[in-house]
Amino acid sequence: MKVLKFGGTSVANAENIKKVKNIVQNAVKDQKIVVVVSALGGVTDLLIETAQLASQQDEKYTDLLQEIERRHLESIKDLIPVAQQSKVLSAVKREFNILETLLEGAFLIGEITPKLSDKIVSYGELLSSFIINEYFESEKLYSVFKDARTLIITTENFGKGIVDFSTTNQLCETYFGTVSYDVVVVPGFVASSREGNSTTLGRGGSDYTASIIAAAIEAEKLEIWTDVSGMYTANPKLVHQAVAINEISYEEAMELSHFGAKVLYPPTIQPVLAKGIPMHIKNTFNPEAKGTLITKNSNGTKRAVRGISHIENIALLSLEGSGMVGIPGVSKKLFEVLSNGEVNVVLITQASSEHSICLGVSQDDIYKAETLINEAFAYEISLGKIKPLIVEKDLAIVALVGDNMKSHQGLSGRMFSSLGKNNVNIRAIAQGASERNISAVIELKDVKKALNTLHEKFFEDNIKQLNLFVMGVGNVGAKFLKQIEQQRKFLKEQMKLNVRVIALSNSRKMVFDQGGISLSKWQEQLQNGEQADVQTFVKKVNELNLRNSIFVDNTATELVSNTYGEYLRNSVSVVTCNKIASSSVYSNYLQLKDLSRKYNAPFLFETNVGAGLPIIDTLKNLIASGDKVTKIQAVLSGSLNFVFNNFDNTTNFENVVKQAQEEGYTEPDPKIDLSGIDVMRKILILARESGYKMELEDIENESFLPQECLDTDNVDDFYTSLVQNKKHFDSIFEKAASKNCRLKYVAQFENGKAKVGLQEIPEGHPFYNLEGKDNIVLFFTERYVEQPLLIKGAGAGADVTASGIFADIIRIGNF
């Protein structure tokens, strides 16, 4: 004989009950079966609410009662042939008349007792099982209804009856040993006391009913049919990459169900465990799915961690004080007072010094627990030997579960380091001697991030998901998105990085998609987005609180750069080609660096100098290895190099500048490049990264632009001024050409001082043959004294800048 239990979602309506019938028809071909059913989906909650309203003398309870009755009557009409409906409808209406009388009693006296509550809520399962059995009979199944109250006997502990297994097993053996029907339909959740009163087995008790019967009759198997395809490696609603576990041990299943895996009611396992009866979690809506088989010895994967689970709404209670050290009985007194107050403790950790004990309890029990403990230790508190109880709210427990964890070293280290890298603060830790479970208490707001981080670490072949929030989708931004789209497969397969773009913004619109924006249709999605706002963008990124979050700034605006601190404080890494932040006042630059270290969020800006060239990274490595920079000489403006490489006595200066802008080598406002401000920022960043304290105003700027060009307010006026000063630019070229020199805009740092300006470079100098838009940097250090370390290559352009940003993203992925 086999026992099949169907949950509330499986019998929520007539359509679902028909699916149940198909499953039962297939199962009964081979052997007799017991079918245990829950109340129609949501009915138990409605019955509880109805009873509460009645006890509060709120006449709205009648509306809820009518809704409950309507659902059952509609199910009958949808399931039972018209010729047989009258009998079933009459029987159900009689039961509703009795239920109405019970509720009227609660309404009249203005209260509801636990005994009456059990009697009222038991109607959910009693009615559903009766209707389902009548439907089975109408479908020619050889079926019979059996009231669980005649099989399962409990104490009169109303709300959660304690089973008398000796009597229950005898009753079940007698009945099922003689029953001739192929299918026996039994209501779950309900039982009766020795005195004959209706009792219930607690929320989730239908699973327990099925397990009790399966153990009593020593069933071949217990099948739990629900709305998911088994127990998952993590909650699939929070971790979309979670997968069903094919096979798991009883002990692992108990750990996972205790820690919030709602597919299984924790006490369910105990009766079948004792008899070694396998359990199978199956999906009513996908019967062909393998589901999860729960057995004594799991023969499944040897993976150390089998699942990750969590409990929300936890509070930590900390009792500490010098008066606890070496004093026997403190722990006994603490746990005894909580036990007597019916406060369940879900986690315990104690310092080896005995100076403190930390307990995790449900947040619903905070007030009761705090009152009981402070009263119990009032004398010790008054003497100052023990401090008043410390309470921390809005917490959760995340747990790794697995039988094989004890044979794998370093699991806890990997768990805590991965959480730490995502700035998930751990408030308490607990690990049993069996090492089947490692638990950590974290803030409730970090649950989703923590679960996804741990799942990624232990179940996704170490594929790291990077969540990008991109601001600026112009020249550079568009190229960057294209590069990500082209390389996504390579990154996932070869570098174990899953890069997703979660948000995009330009100056007009922004769009967020937690599932990831389609990089082949991002323009359309952005166009249909909401109005762009920098602060709203920051707020949404931080509210999502995703693991491995990276803010990518492809703009050149100060407003955006001013938000970096807000991202870093929330452990969101920052990658930027915007030079404003790193060249702002030194105190702000230093603060961003400090925030990056404090919150473990990389702040990378390789593209600030040399676009895609590894200039800053090379400089960092020099400094980290103990070298010291003594001098820097560089051509750092690809746009200015392009301009002066293409400007001669056959061209007009303004036309060359326009060409540079059209080809994407300058900022949208080319005056930023030509004024030298851009180069000043770059040499300032290199000086700072070399370890020197310097401000932008400390840099000498030998501008080649006439003052009237510098005084213009817009791009059009700037170009007009270039035309008006044609002779000035022609004379600069002629002077250099007469000396057989080339014009290069050079930045130099030496002896703590920096300057930028246009220089005449003679033949033979490393800068002389610098072509096109290339950059070049010469690092003179204590190790590179005579021959400097030279870095040379394309230093401007959307493609190479985008590739530099991409490289910073990869650095973070490998962090």
Side-chain angles (χ1 to χ4, degrees):
M1 187 173 275
K2 190 159 63 174
V3 178
L4 283 65
K5 179 265 174 179
F6 293 90
T9 51
S10 298
V11 295
N13 50 50
E15 182 183 352
N16 291 0
I17 293 171
K18 289 175 182 177
K19 291 181 171 66
V20 169
K21 185 263 299 181
N22 292 335
I23 293 168
V24 170
Q25 273 183 329
N26 286 328
V28 83
K29 290 176 183 177
D30 301 323
Q31 58 191 306
K32 293 180 178 179
I33 62 171
V34 181
V35 175
V36 178
V37 297
S38 296
L40 304 187
V43 164
T44 300
D45 288 334
L46 286 173
L47 285 167
I48 291 171
E49 187 180 354
T50 304
Q52 288 173 341
L53 288 174
S55 67
Q56 295 163 7
Q57 297 184 321
D58 186 335
E59 292 184 353
K60 290 179 182 175
Y61 84 90
T62 59
D63 296 333
L64 285 183
L65 181 61
Q66 288 174 8
E67 168 63 15
I68 296 168
E69 183 174 4
R70 180 193 63 77
R71 283 190 59 188
H72 286 82
L73 298 182
E74 282 186 358
S75 295
I76 294 169
K77 291 172 183 176
D78 289 339
L79 293 169
I80 309 296
V82 175
Q84 301 168 35
Q85 278 182 17
S86 178
K87 177 189 72 166
V88 182
L89 288 170
S90 297
V92 168
K93 285 181 178 180
R94 280 197 301 271
E95 294 300 320
F96 270 101
N97 289 336
I98 298 170
L99 178 57
E100 184 178 14
T101 302
L102 294 172
L103 290 165
E104 282 176 356
F107 179 83
L108 291 172
I109 63 174
E111 68 172 332
I112 185 167
T113 64
K115 181 178 179 180
L116 179 56
S117 177
D118 266 11
K119 195 167 186 63
I120 290 170
V121 297
S122 67
Y123 273 86
E125 274 73 13
L126 292 169
L127 289 167
S128 67
S129 55
F130 172 74
I131 293 169
I132 289 168
N133 180 67
E134 292 293 327
Y135 169 57
F136 284 176
E137 287 185 3
S138 71
E139 290 292 316
K140 309 304 180 188
L141 280 168
Y142 189 42
S143 172
V144 67
F145 167 78
K146 180 63 176 175
D147 192 337
R149 292 176 297 183
T150 64
L151 296 172
I152 300 175
I153 306 302
T154 71
T155 61
E156 289 204 332
N157 185 23
F158 297 106
K160 194 172 184 181
I162 298 170
V163 177
D164 176 352
F165 280 98
S166 176
T167 306
T168 298
N169 289 344
Q170 187 177 359
L171 290 171
C172 289
E173 288 171 15
T174 302
Y175 176 74
F176 290 105
T178 58
V179 69
S180 60
Y181 290 87
D182 293 337
V183 180
V184 180
V185 180
V186 180
F189 181 55
V190 299
S192 67
S193 69
R194 299 181 188 92
E195 292 75 18
N197 295 310
S198 292
T199 59
T200 59
L201 301 176
R203 296 307 299 268
S206 291
D207 285 354
Y208 196 26
T209 300
S211 181
I212 291 166
I213 293 173
I217 64 175
E218 297 190 0
E220 175 190 321
K221 183 190 285 188
L222 167 59
E223 294 180 356
I224 306 289
W225 290 83
T226 181
D227 57 353
V228 292
S229 299
M231 300 188 81
Y232 278 68
T233 49
N235 185 338
K237 293 179 181 177
L238 298 177
V239 181
H240 297 309
Q241 294 83 10
V243 295
I245 305 168
N246 290 335
E247 196 169 332
I248 195 170
S249 72
Y250 291 123
E251 290 79 9
E252 288 170 328
M254 280 195 289
E255 291 279 3
L256 286 173
S257 61
H258 172 71
F259 278 90
K262 306 212 180 289
V263 70
L264 193 63
Y265 179 54
T268 301
I269 300 169
Q270 191 58 48
V272 291
L273 183 154
K275 296 288 183 72
I277 298 168
M279 292 179 62
H280 206 166
I281 312 295
K282 297 279 285 178
N283 189 343
T284 305
F285 308 100
N286 185 13
E288 302 306 314
K290 288 185 68 173
T292 299
L293 182 64
I294 305 171
T295 60
K296 184 176 181 180
N297 295 309
S298 169
N299 295 316
T301 176
K302 296 303 180 184
R303 189 187 290 271
V305 178
R306 302 300 298 277
I308 305 165
S309 201
H310 75 288
I311 308 174
E312 295 185 357
N313 298 313
I314 293 295
L316 272 187
L317 311 177
S318 299
L319 190 69
E320 59 183 60
S322 58
M324 295 171 59
V325 180
I327 305 299
V330 174
S331 298
K332 175 181 181 294
K333 184 177 180 180
L334 175 61
F335 294 121
E336 192 170 61
V337 72
L338 291 175
S339 176
N340 292 338
E342 297 185 346
V343 175
N344 187 39
V345 177
V346 296
L347 178 139
I348 305 166
T349 179
Q350 182 172 12
S352 58
S353 65
E354 301 181 25
H355 182 264
S356 66
I357 301 176
C358 186
L359 308 173
V361 302
S362 169
Q363 197 153 294
D364 296 336
D365 292 329
I366 286 177
Y367 177 75
K368 184 198 293 186
E370 185 177 14
T371 303
L372 289 170
I373 294 171
N374 282 335
E375 285 178 356
F377 290 92
Y379 178 68
E380 291 87 346
I381 292 171
S382 69
L383 295 178
K385 291 184 176 182
I386 292 179
K387 297 177 183 178
L389 190 71
I390 300 169
V391 178
E392 297 175 72
K393 299 187 292 184
D394 299 322
L395 303 173
I397 298 173
V398 292
L400 298 186
V401 173
D403 282 341
N404 296 324
M405 283 167 47
K406 58 190 172 189
S407 58
H408 286 72
Q409 295 180 345
L411 282 177
S412 55
R414 290 167 62 195
M415 175 184 183
F416 301 140
S417 66
S418 60
L419 292 176
K421 283 181 180 179
N422 278 280
N423 203 39
V424 176
N425 187 34
I426 297 172
R427 294 292 306 111
I429 299 165
Q431 182 173 7
S434 68
E435 298 184 40
R436 188 178 286 121
N437 176 305
I438 305 174
S439 302
V441 180
I442 63 172
E443 293 185 48
L444 184 60
K445 67 180 181 65
D446 288 330
V447 163
K448 185 174 182 179
K449 182 199 284 187
L451 291 176
N452 279 276
T453 297
L454 294 174
H455 196 273
E456 180 179 86
K457 188 71 176 176
F458 293 102
F459 288 99
E460 296 173 39
D461 296 322
N462 266 338
I463 293 178
K464 190 174 187 179
Q465 182 173 290
L466 304 180
N467 296 300
L468 309 187
F469 301 85
V470 182
M471 187 165 284
V473 289
N475 248 354
V476 173
K479 296 287 186 183
F480 171 64
L481 295 176
K482 185 176 181 181
Q483 288 175 13
I484 292 176
E485 183 181 19
Q486 289 174 340
Q487 291 299 107
R488 282 185 73 175
K489 185 178 179 182
F490 172 84
L491 290 173
K492 194 166 186 178
E493 292 178 355
Q494 302 298 321
M495 302 192 72
K496 302 297 183 183
L497 295 175
N498 179 22
V499 181
R500 302 191 313 159
V501 176
I502 305 301
L504 291 173
S505 178
N506 57 22
S507 59
R508 300 175 303 280
K509 295 282 188 177
M510 64 182 187
V511 61
F512 282 75
D513 186 342
Q514 196 169 340
I517 291 169
S518 168
L519 295 183
S520 61
K521 301 177 181 178
W522 67 265
Q523 294 98 332
E524 180 183 333
Q525 285 185 260
L526 183 58
Q527 187 177 0
N528 295 324
E530 60 186 295
Q531 184 176 347
D533 180 80
V534 171
Q535 283 303 318
T536 303
F537 194 90
V538 174
K539 184 180 178 183
K540 287 195 171 188
V541 171
N542 291 335
E543 283 177 350
L544 283 174
N545 196 25
L546 299 179
R547 71 194 186 283
N548 306 322
S549 291
I550 305 172
F551 173 66
V552 182
D553 179 13
N554 297 318
T555 75
T557 66
E558 185 173 4
L559 181 64
V560 177
S561 72
N562 287 340
T563 64
Y564 294 173
E566 296 179 64
Y567 289 113
L568 295 172
R569 285 186 187 90
N570 285 275
S571 298
V572 177
S573 301
V574 174
V575 170
T576 178
C577 59
N578 185 343
K579 292 175 278 291
I580 294 175
S582 295
S583 60
S584 61
V585 294
Y586 185 77
S587 59
N588 184 58
Y589 161 83
L590 207 59
Q591 184 187 39
L592 292 176
K593 290 278 200 172
D594 289 342
L595 288 171
S596 173
R597 284 189 291 269
K598 181 177 180 180
Y599 294 100
N600 210 28
F603 171 42
L604 301 182
F605 42 90
E606 182 65 71
T607 50
N608 279 193
V609 182
L613 295 176
I615 295 172
I616 292 176
D617 192 53
T618 301
L619 178 55
K620 284 181 177 179
N621 290 334
L622 286 173
I623 301 302
S625 70
D627 204 355
K628 183 177 181 180
V629 173
T630 57
K631 181 180 176 180
I632 302 172
Q633 286 184 312
V635 174
L636 296 173
S637 173
S639 53
L640 283 172
N641 200 44
F642 177 89
V643 167
F644 287 110
N645 279 336
N646 288 278
F647 174 51
D648 55 31
N649 53 12
T650 66
T651 58
N652 290 324
F653 188 71
E654 73 277 5
N655 290 336
V656 177
V657 174
K658 281 184 179 177
Q659 182 185 351
Q661 184 185 23
E662 288 168 359
E663 294 188 24
Y665 299 142
T666 73
E667 301 287 352
D669 180 359
K671 187 174 73 172
I672 295 174
D673 296 277
L674 271 64
S675 68
I677 284 289
D678 192 56
V679 178
M680 288 172 68
R681 287 174 175 156
K682 291 177 179 179
I683 194 65
L684 174 64
I685 292 168
L686 291 182
R688 286 176 171 178
E689 290 295 299
S690 299
Y692 293 88
K693 181 178 179 180
M694 181 176 284
E695 300 289 359
L696 192 64
E697 54 266 26
D698 296 333
I699 300 172
E700 183 183 350
N701 184 357
E702 300 170 347
S703 178
F704 66 89
L705 290 177
Q707 191 60 43
E708 66 177 280
C709 295
L710 294 170
D711 290 341
T712 56
D713 294 328
N714 57 65
V715 175
D716 290 339
D717 289 349
F718 179 69
Y719 277 117
T720 300
S721 71
L722 295 183
V723 174
Q724 293 170 348
N725 285 276
K726 181 179 183 302
K727 289 184 179 180
H728 168 76
F729 299 113
D730 288 345
S731 68
I732 291 174
F733 171 78
E734 289 165 3
K735 183 182 175 184
S738 68
K739 301 176 185 178
N740 197 30
C741 292
R742 289 186 174 181
L743 293 170
K744 302 293 177 184
Y745 199 86
V746 178
Q748 183 166 311
F749 172 78
E750 188 174 12
N751 298 324
K753 294 183 178 180
K755 65 177 182 179
V756 299
L758 194 64
Q759 293 186 16
E760 297 171 347
I761 304 298
E763 192 172 1
H765 192 282
F767 295 170
Y768 184 82
N769 290 315
L770 196 65
E771 300 296 335
K773 59 184 181 299
D774 284 1
N775 280 189
I776 187 170
V777 178
L778 307 179
F779 285 121
F780 295 85
T781 74
E782 291 180 347
R783 294 174 189 158
Y784 294 89
V785 180
E786 300 298 330
Q787 293 295 323
L789 176 62
L790 184 151
I791 302 171
K792 178 182 176 183
D799 270 320
V800 291
T801 303
S803 69
I805 293 167
F806 206 149
D808 275 346
I809 300 293
I810 301 303
R811 287 187 183 95
I812 292 174
N814 293 328
F815 174 66

